Amino acid sequence: MSRPHHQFGTLLGLDHIGVGVSDMDGSVRFYAGLGFIDVVFDHTGDLGGLAEVTGHASTRARVVYLRSATPTVLGRSGIKLVQILDRPQPPLPDGFAYGEPGVCEVCIHVKDYEDFHEGLVRSGHTVLMDPNDQILEPYDTHCGLSYVEDPDGAKIEFIEWRSLESGWPHPSGPQGVNHVAFGVGSSARTEEFYRSLGFTSKLFDMEGVNEPMNPWFEAVGRTPPSQRMMLLMSPHGGSLEPVQQDPAGPDMRGEWGHLGTFEFSLGARNLDLAVAHLGELGVELVGEPVDIDLGGGRSWRYAYFRDPDELYVSVTEVRA
């Protein structure tokens, strides 16, 4: 008797966020301070399947894939650091604030986030937003959040879902990645697309000017826009936070591998089934699936597609 086909092609929610770095060893130390001390793999070599994604015939890079030492149901995704070796690393797009087309942030769930944030401040980290609490519509979801900056300008959010964590008695401190935020042209279109990929629940959906972010826009000469934000959740992995601005912001996707946050990846139990599912939905791959042998029976497999806003998204199967 044949096994039933998995409804979402073995897709597992947000697996990791890609971050371009200029000093890999320094960035590994920085993210270790945020709890990401589990080095799943550290690979240097040619990355196949990226010619159309990058606009370059070949890409040689050092890639370090990190996971938290203390992942939880509210923070279970990882971070992929990428340092390009065969050409200059593209810069963070000039004028980026938050919510323009492109990848906005890494969001880490932290219990007692205020204490953790203040500890980083004392150690000299660059602060982008002081701790503040918010009540999110339409379910009055209570969270606290703050931001710091990584060595190459990536925005790192610390969030504490106060309404959700009471049933999960974990110790204070950072867990894993909770979600990735990215700018979109239509929240409704993005929600429909990612629901078909397994993000079937929504924690909040609200619209307005997020005043603590105003300095980021003012710093690049923009009037703070109204932003519609929602959190789309998968039962298997991290979440997605699409952001739609009114008026629309400029394109900040930048070149693949640029410094700061540049991509995110969906996990897959089996990459072949995940790719087949994308094909059933009419989603075409950009380039061919790639299989990198990490040695010792370990492997890293990935494939890329474009989402409705022409953002390159990868699907990843890691066996390490």
Side-chain angles (χ1 to χ4, degrees), residues 12 36 47 114 129 252 263 269:
L12 299 173
F36 294 88
L47 305 181
E114 299 101 328
M129 183 189 294
M252 293 292 165
E263 75 167 13
R269 291 189 183 93

Side-chain angles (χ1 to χ4, degrees), residues 92-300:
L92 185 74
D94 186 40
F96 171 73
Y98 187 92
E100 303 91 349
V103 180
C104 304
E105 68 179 17
V106 171
C107 180
I108 300 167
H109 195 269
V110 182
K111 186 172 183 180
D112 297 325
Y113 83 103
E114 299 101 328
D115 293 340
F116 184 71
H117 176 96
E118 291 306 319
L120 294 179
V121 172
R122 289 192 297 271
S123 64
H125 286 63
T126 300
V127 175
L128 299 178
M129 183 189 294
D130 290 326
N132 69 96
D133 275 32
Q134 298 187 15
I135 304 297
L136 306 181
E137 300 172 353
Y139 309 117
D140 292 334
T141 307
H142 184 191
C143 72
L145 57 94
S146 65
Y147 281 82
V148 299
E149 189 173 73
D150 92 342
D152 292 294
K155 288 181 170 64
I156 310 296
E157 179 184 18
F158 304 132
I159 197 162
E160 183 168 12
W161 290 112
R162 301 191 193 276
S163 298
L164 305 180
E165 69 180 355
S166 60
W168 305 95
H170 296 288
S172 298
Q175 299 160 14
V177 169
N178 177 265
H179 69 259
V180 61
F182 56 104
V184 304
S186 166
S187 296
R189 179 182 63 189
T190 295
E191 180 180 358
E192 180 181 10
F193 177 78
Y194 282 105
R195 279 187 177 273
S196 72
L197 302 187
F199 294 87
T200 52
S201 299
K202 184 159 54 173
L203 181 61
F204 68 85
D205 188 341
M206 58 185 295
E207 187 171 359
V209 175
N210 195 331
E211 293 184 359
M213 293 182 177
N214 286 0
W216 302 346
F217 294 97
E218 294 162 354
V220 297
R222 291 183 59 199
T223 299
S226 176
Q227 300 188 90
R228 182 181 177 190
M229 300 178 175
M230 63 176 67
L231 198 71
L232 304 175
M233 304 173 69
S234 162
H236 304 295
S239 302
L240 307 181
E241 185 180 56
V243 181
Q244 180 181 346
Q245 293 185 347
D246 183 17
D251 189 344
M252 293 292 165
R253 289 173 296 174
E255 186 177 332
W256 186 93
H258 70 70
L259 295 178
T261 47
F262 70 88
E263 75 167 13
F264 62 87
S265 179
L266 310 184
R269 291 189 183 93
N270 181 294
L271 184 67
D272 299 318
L273 291 179
V275 167
H277 178 62
L278 291 173
E280 292 168 359
L281 297 174
V283 179
E284 297 182 359
L285 296 187
V286 180
E288 296 297 321
V290 175
D291 192 335
I292 294 179
D293 184 356
L294 299 172
R298 303 175 305 142
S299 66
W300 169 32

Side-chain angles (χ1 to χ4, degrees), residues 34-55:
L34 306 185
F36 294 88
I37 61 175
D38 179 8
V39 180
V40 180
F41 66 77
D42 185 341
H43 171 76
T44 297
D46 295 326
L47 305 181
L50 293 179
E52 187 174 347
V53 174
T54 65

Side-chain angles (χ1 to χ4, degrees), residues 13-82:
L14 176 71
D15 182 82
H16 68 260
I17 302 172
V19 182
V21 303
S22 58
D23 173 7
M24 181 61 79
D25 292 336
S27 290
V28 168
R29 289 191 296 271
F30 173 87
Y31 283 97
L34 306 185
F36 294 88
I37 61 175
D38 179 8
V39 180
V40 180
F41 66 77
D42 185 341
H43 171 76
T44 297
D46 295 326
L47 305 181
L50 293 179
E52 187 174 347
V53 174
T54 65
H56 296 271
S58 63
T59 297
R60 181 172 177 80
R62 181 180 175 190
V63 181
V64 179
Y65 182 46
L66 302 171
R67 289 201 180 277
S68 169
T70 53
T72 73
V73 70
L74 296 176
R76 50 190 171 185
S77 301
I79 292 172
K80 180 180 71 183
L81 305 180
V82 177

